[in-house]
Amino acid sequence: MIYFLAVLVVLAISAYFILSSEVFGAKPSGKRLERILKSENYRDKQFQNQSFTPQFAEGYSMPKVMKDFFFGKKDPLLKPNKAIPIIKTDLKNLPHDKNMFIWLGHSSYFLKIDGISFLIDPVLSKYGSPFPIFNKAFEGSDFFKPQDVPNIDYLVITHDHYDHLDYPTVKAIRNRVDKVIVPLGVGSHFEKWGYSENQIIEEDWGATVQLKNNFRISYTPARHFSGRKFSRNNTLWTSYVLESPSLKIFLGGDSGYDAHFKNIGEKFGPFDFAILENGQYNEAWKYIHALPEDVVQASLDINAKNIIPVHSGKFALALHPWNEPLQKITDLSNGLNIKISTPKIGEILDLNNTENEFEAWWK
């Protein structure tokens, strides 16, 4: 009996130290929590989507989803059978006179527009999880590391899930980041990780913030959820409208399909480019991750003819073949007035050219 109790004590102590790890960030408190409690989007002790959003679609449940995920037959192309092709672009020595998008894998990408740099949801670790055990990156897809990141004007985070807010990455690049743009509540993680209060721009849906050089960014809704440990939805998730003197770009973040896309299009559209989640989907969780046909409809709703799909190519977080998202979105857009741009990881996409052509590298 004493040995059993000793094991329990050891496990409890181990669990305490694991769950106290910095990787989990911090719960909002103080003035930040006061702001959250006053938010129109915060009700019943958590942030809410604009429409009723169940965790699973009709006909699905947690036991069924977990059974399929862990014990169901896996597609042979769940992960690529060879290294992901990449372009070895030097992010620290880019042309100064070009407006560009560079995909870094999954939902991580770099923007340079009118001389201002933005780094969105950088996950430059080998694992898209709190510990280096789960969700290992595909071979080749983790080429870019935190040390490759140049000085950044704005680090932009859409929500605090581990495959979008990566503790090792944001900790490593802290001294190269001028300002951080986050949705309400997410700043608590950054302050715990050593970022100063005056570095953080933290707002709710509906806010518009003036940035340097006549840029501005608006916080727009998404249909998703948040959470890093046991607390769910105590921080906000968001999409953004980024406007420069020369371009207007929609940064979609993670989102299921809903009426907010049309509302954003009516208020802010048309867009020069829209960067939309397309991958890690499943019919079971279609309300929080868009299916490919939803992505096409969303692009029409927001009035964006040039789409850059992300959220694929690095991690297998769903059960579809790794290359299905890019193939499906390409096929579904045929015959529509939509241009799908699919650069390789590291390949430069010229934002001043709406006729960019890229090979079907995933085939």
Side-chain angles (χ1 to χ4, degrees):
M1 182 67 176
I2 192 169
Y3 296 108
F4 177 71
L5 291 174
V7 169
L8 287 180
V9 170
V10 170
L11 289 175
I13 293 172
S14 299
Y16 172 79
F17 282 106
I18 290 172
L19 294 175
S20 299
S21 171
E22 277 207 342
V23 71
F24 294 112
K27 284 185 177 181
S29 61
K31 293 181 180 179
R32 179 174 285 110
L33 181 57
E34 290 176 13
R35 289 184 64 197
I36 289 173
L37 294 175
K38 293 176 182 177
S39 171
E40 294 180 357
N41 303 302
Y42 190 87
R43 299 182 303 278
D44 300 326
K45 299 183 180 181
Q46 62 180 351
F47 282 105
Q48 303 285 344
N49 285 295
Q50 291 185 323
S51 298
F52 172 65
T53 303
Q55 185 175 6
F56 297 111
E58 297 79 7
Y60 293 91
S61 64
M62 177 65 81
K64 176 176 172 51
V65 168
M66 298 304 288
K67 180 182 177 182
D68 289 344
F69 200 86
F70 288 106
F71 303 108
K73 184 178 180 180
K74 299 295 188 295
D75 191 287
L77 284 178
L78 180 66
K79 299 179 180 181
N81 52 26
K82 59 182 179 179
I84 295 286
I86 63 159
I87 303 294
K88 298 179 180 180
T89 298
D90 184 354
L91 300 179
K92 294 181 179 178
N93 291 286
L94 295 169
H96 294 290
D97 58 347
K98 283 189 175 181
N99 292 339
M100 65 188 76
F101 164 97
I102 300 175
W103 185 39
L104 305 177
H106 196 60
S107 283
S108 308
Y109 52 95
F110 174 88
L111 295 170
K112 193 165 189 179
I113 304 170
D114 299 338
I116 305 298
S117 58
F118 297 84
L119 183 63
I120 291 81
D121 287 357
V123 179
L124 305 182
S125 302
K126 202 173 189 67
Y127 294 85
S129 65
F131 303 110
I133 301 173
F134 308 107
N135 299 330
K136 186 177 180 181
F138 301 152
E139 182 185 356
S141 67
D142 62 333
F143 172 79
F144 288 97
K145 309 294 184 185
Q147 58 264 32
D148 298 317
V149 173
N151 291 334
I152 297 294
D153 292 298
Y154 296 101
L155 170 61
V156 181
I157 303 296
T158 61
H159 63 295
D160 68 2
H161 285 155
Y162 301 103
D163 61 320
H164 291 260
L165 175 53
D166 182 50
Y167 165 72
T169 299
V170 300
K171 185 81 170 178
I173 66 174
R174 184 184 62 190
N175 294 332
R176 279 167 276 156
V177 173
D178 187 11
K179 297 287 185 181
V180 183
I181 298 172
V182 296
L184 191 55
V186 176
S188 59
H189 302 315
F190 279 85
E191 287 191 15
K192 182 176 180 64
W193 298 335
Y195 284 72
S196 64
E197 182 180 356
N198 62 15
Q199 274 183 283
I200 300 169
I201 299 169
E202 185 174 4
E203 296 293 342
D204 201 349
W205 293 340
T208 295
V209 179
Q210 294 296 136
L211 307 179
K212 63 174 71 172
N213 292 19
N214 294 317
F215 279 69
R216 65 180 182 179
I217 195 165
S218 298
Y219 288 69
T220 47
R223 192 183 191 189
H224 199 52
F225 68 108
S226 68
R228 288 183 75 82
K229 193 159 52 174
F230 299 126
S231 299
R232 186 180 174 95
N233 297 351
N234 67 341
T235 61
L236 187 62
W237 49 96
T238 195
S239 59
Y240 295 100
V241 172
L242 178 62
E243 298 175 89
S244 81
S246 63
L247 288 169
K248 187 186 295 183
I249 302 177
F250 180 64
L251 316 179
D254 280 3
S255 180
Y257 181 75
D258 203 8
H260 66 279
F261 287 112
K262 191 166 185 62
N263 294 335
I264 292 167
E266 290 173 349
K267 183 174 181 179
F268 293 99
F271 291 93
D272 297 294
F273 287 88
I275 305 167
L276 296 175
E277 172 204 13
N278 176 57
Q280 317 320 314
Y281 49 77
N282 189 299
E283 189 68 33
W285 54 79
K286 65 179 181 179
Y287 293 127
I288 53 176
H289 284 290
L291 302 172
E293 53 268 34
D294 296 329
V295 178
V296 171
Q297 186 59 53
S299 67
L300 296 171
D301 288 353
I302 62 173
N303 198 1
K305 295 181 180 179
N306 295 288
I307 308 303
I308 307 172
V310 296
H311 212 242
S312 67
K314 188 169 184 176
F315 303 114
L317 305 179
L319 297 176
H320 57 67
W322 77 271
N323 55 359
E324 181 184 279
L326 293 175
Q327 188 60 53
K328 275 198 170 184
I329 194 72
T330 302
D331 292 343
L332 289 167
S333 65
N334 286 336
L336 301 175
N337 192 20
I338 302 173
K339 170 75 173 178
I340 306 293
S341 294
T342 54
K344 298 183 184 75
I345 292 174
E347 188 171 7
I348 294 176
L349 185 156
D350 183 353
L351 293 171
N352 288 336
N353 179 12
T354 58
E355 300 301 322
N356 290 284
E357 293 293 338
F358 299 99
E359 64 177 294
W361 54 267
W362 59 88
K363 289 186 175 180

